[in-house]
Every structure is written in C-alpha cells, then in structure tokens.
Amino acid sequence: MAEHWKVPASRALRADGLRIADIDTSARPGFRGGKSDGQRLLAERGRVLAGLQEKLYANGRTGDRRRVLLVLQGMDTAGKGGIVRHVIGSVDPQGVDHAAFGVPTDEEKQHHFLWRIRRALPRGGQLGVFDRSHYEDVLVARVHRLVPDEVWQRRYDEINQFERELVDAGTTLVKVVLFVSLDEQKKRLRERLERPEKYWKFNPADIDERGYWPAYQQAYQAIVDRTGTEYAPWYVIPADAKWFSRLAVTELLIEALENLDLRWPAATFDPAAELRRLDRS
Ligand code: ATP
C-alpha cells in the first residue's frame, strides 16, 4: 500500500451499503495527504502501475488468459476522460484495449444490449478500459425510459450473470463510478463554454441532464445495490478533486494487478546458451 493511505483504496472506496445521496464529492476517503502529496504520488504510482501492466502483458504473450477490465461510469464532466489520459496514459498503449460506448448505433440497437460489450472485451494479458459501459443500459435507458420498465429491470440480473462469466474466465473487474457535485459540474460546464479550446467537449444536452440528477441518483443507487457483488464490487470515487480521483483509480488498478501475483514468464530457451551464442556471433 502506498504512503498516505490509511487503508487500501479498495477498502476505503468500496460502495457496499453506500447511500449515493450522502456522498461528499469533495472527500478523500482513506487518504491523509494533500494535493501536492497526491500529485507526487500519482506520478510515482503511475510508474508502479506501468510495471505491473507490463508483467500482465508479458504473461498474455505467453498464453495467460487473465486480464483486468476497468469499467468507468460517472455523470458528465466527472472526469472519465482524465482518468483515461492520466491513469491509463501512464502505461504502454500496446497493452490497453480501450472502448467508449456512446448512443448505440442502428446496428447495435438490433442486438441484445450486451452484444456490443462482448465484442469490445479485452484480450488475455490486456488492460481493458470501458469509458461508459453496459451500465448505461440501466442508467440513461432507465432515466429516459428508452425501453419498457420490465426490460431494464431484468438487466441487473443479466449483468450479474455476464460479469460472473467474465470473472470465471479470468477477468478482474474494477468497476468505478466518479461523482462530482452539481456545483462542481456547473463550474466545469462553464469552463467548456468560456474557453474556445474546450468547446469541442461541450454538449448542450449536458445542461438538460442536470435536471434529471435525482433520477440518476436513484439509478446509480440501484446499480450499486444490485450489481455490487463479491466478485465484481463497485468503487465510488468522490471526484471534485481530479488529482484524488486519478490517484484512487491508479491505486485500485495496482491492487487488482498485485492480486494476480504475476511473475515474469520463464524463458522458453536456455539464456546462458543463448548468451554464449550471441558472444560468438
Ligand atoms: P462523454 O459524455 O462520455 O464524454 P461524449 O459527450 O463525447 O462522451 P459520446 O461518447 O458520443 O459522447 O456518447 C455519450 C452519450 O451516449 C452519453 O450521453 C450516454 O448516456 C449515451 N449512451 C451511452 N450508452 C447508451 C445506451 N446504451 N443507450 C443510450 N444512450 C447511451
């Protein structure tokens, strides 16, 4: 466990029994340092993460089917993109399978909601990242009544069964939801409107979505309650401070990779004999 953490991030951030409405989005559960400690640690721990990911990749190259999948959820402006850039950005991109899920295409709409998700699953040895995920089908789909109630209602069980399958096949799931306060969200949206280099990030619908916050809270509560399992728990991350949310996700990934107890793959040749051959060449 890295310095400044009172308990492992996985324990401090685990969502079991959490009331979404009670989250303090400016809190730093489990962490006792300040911003400068956090920023320094982020760089340091990013290197640790990169080393572990390289080991996962090396094992994948030699047939290990294990993989880690980060599932990122959060309201608009919560910082999903920043996690991808700053946390996943610290590892070798060759070892990353990244997928972002927007409004389903016409083709995707013809299929079961998990169809596009299955197609995007990480390969063995890869660090997968889902920027939004199958959970949109019980979040936006529920809040905006995109499907009849009985359809989204049965999805929780379908998701649990799907994730059980993934875990049994060697995937470690790290499911993260980032929360910012409505005030912090307003500040971030304002920035997108005031800075031309941020216009591209602005979507007018994000303002409308703010009006649905109580319904989203309810929908988030349901995913935490109904799909937070022993084999695929949810971690809830207060995200008003970007450095904290990035550090927290880094720590969760480090823990997930450490739990795999990875070793460097053994040589399939005799290194001493190859060295002698090299010297002679
Ligand atoms: P983001 O808001 O994640 O930064 P973005 O603004 O660039 O992304 P896209 O990635 O193109 O937009 O799409 C995200 C949007 O797609 C979100 O509004 C999300 O709710 C919606 N979406 C994702 N999955 C689904 C789904 N299964 N059904 C309906 N809408 C979905």
Side-chain angles (χ1 to χ4, degrees), residues 230-242:
E230 206 42 56
Y231 52 89
W234 274 105
Y235 299 102
V236 164
I237 304 194
D240 282 1
K242 290 178 182 170

Side-chain angles (χ1 to χ4, degrees), residues 6 93 125 193 203:
K6 288 176 270 191
L193 287 168
N203 176 355

Side-chain angles (χ1 to χ4, degrees), residues 1-7 30-33 37-38 40-42 44-45 247 251:
M1 189 171 73
E3 55 175 322
H4 294 300
W5 286 90
K6 288 176 270 191
V7 290
F31 191 72
R32 61 162 89 84
D37 302 307
R40 177 180 54 76
L41 265 184
L42 187 58
E44 232 174 71
R45 300 296 281 170
L247 181 63
E251 290 299 333

Side-chain angles (χ1 to χ4, degrees), residues 147-165:
V147 291
D149 287 2
E150 60 275 17
V151 172
W152 62 258
Q153 274 162 359
R154 64 169 178 260
R155 287 179 175 168
Y156 300 100
D157 289 341
E158 290 180 283
I159 288 173
N160 285 337
Q161 202 184 331
F162 168 63
E163 292 186 350
R164 177 81 253 181
E165 256 175 59

Side-chain angles (χ1 to χ4, degrees), residues 27-254:
R28 289 126 198 211
F31 191 72
R32 61 162 89 84
K35 182 173 178 176
S36 59
D37 302 307
Q39 283 173 328
R40 177 180 54 76
L41 265 184
L42 187 58
E44 232 174 71
R45 300 296 281 170
R47 287 190 286 277
V48 173
L49 178 62
L52 286 162
Q53 177 273 331
E54 190 182 351
K55 239 184 222 175
L56 178 70
Y57 184 75
N59 280 280
R61 295 290 296 229
T62 51
D64 194 331
R65 305 299 302 148
R66 289 177 298 171
R67 64 210 80 177
V68 172
L69 174 57
L70 174 66
V71 173
L72 275 177
Q73 286 293 155
M75 44 201 295
D76 299 312
T77 78
K80 297 187 299 297
I83 299 284
V84 174
R85 259 192 318 283
H86 297 278
V87 178
I88 304 304
S90 66
V91 313
D92 184 343
Q94 280 192 100
V96 174
D97 284 340
H98 172 270
F101 296 97
V103 177
T105 61
D106 286 342
E107 188 190 18
E108 287 168 349
K109 281 184 193 146
Q110 306 299 312
H111 295 271
H112 185 266
F113 77 103
L114 292 173
W115 181 77
R116 65 175 183 163
I117 305 293
R118 288 185 188 277
R119 284 157 58 98
L121 288 170
R123 296 159 289 166
Q126 297 290 107
L127 172 58
V129 184
F130 280 180
D131 182 345
R132 301 186 188 270
S133 66
H134 41 300
Y135 285 100
E136 290 294 323
D137 295 283
V138 281
L139 289 167
V140 67
R142 168 178 169 162
V143 169
H144 290 288
R145 302 180 161 274
L146 304 180
V147 291
D149 287 2
E150 60 275 17
V151 172
W152 62 258
Q153 274 162 359
R154 64 169 178 260
R155 287 179 175 168
Y156 300 100
D157 289 341
E158 290 180 283
I159 288 173
N160 285 337
Q161 202 184 331
F162 168 63
E163 292 186 350
R164 177 81 253 181
E165 256 175 59
L166 296 186
V167 171
D168 288 346
T171 303
T172 301
L173 282 161
V174 180
K175 302 192 298 191
V176 161
V177 51
L178 305 169
F179 281 109
V180 286
S181 65
L182 277 177
D183 280 351
E184 178 63 24
Q185 188 192 50
K186 189 180 251 181
K187 206 173 99 197
R188 292 182 187 182
L189 287 173
R190 179 181 298 280
E191 234 176 72
R192 292 182 181 180
L193 287 168
E194 287 176 346
R195 293 174 49 185
E197 73 277 18
K198 297 214 170 190
Y199 288 168
W200 67 275
K201 288 191 187 182
F202 183 75
N203 176 355
D206 293 350
I207 297 180
D208 304 314
E209 285 297 88
R210 288 168 60 76
Y212 290 91
W213 178 227
Y216 272 107
Q217 267 187 333
Q218 238 184 357
Y220 273 111
Q221 188 69 56
I223 64 168
V224 166
D225 292 345
R226 300 196 52 191
T227 66
T229 54
E230 206 42 56
Y231 52 89
W234 274 105
Y235 299 102
V236 164
I237 304 194
D240 282 1
K242 290 178 182 170
W243 65 265
F244 177 75
S245 55
R246 292 169 188 172
L247 181 63
V249 176
T250 303
E251 290 299 333
L252 291 173
L253 289 174
I254 287 175

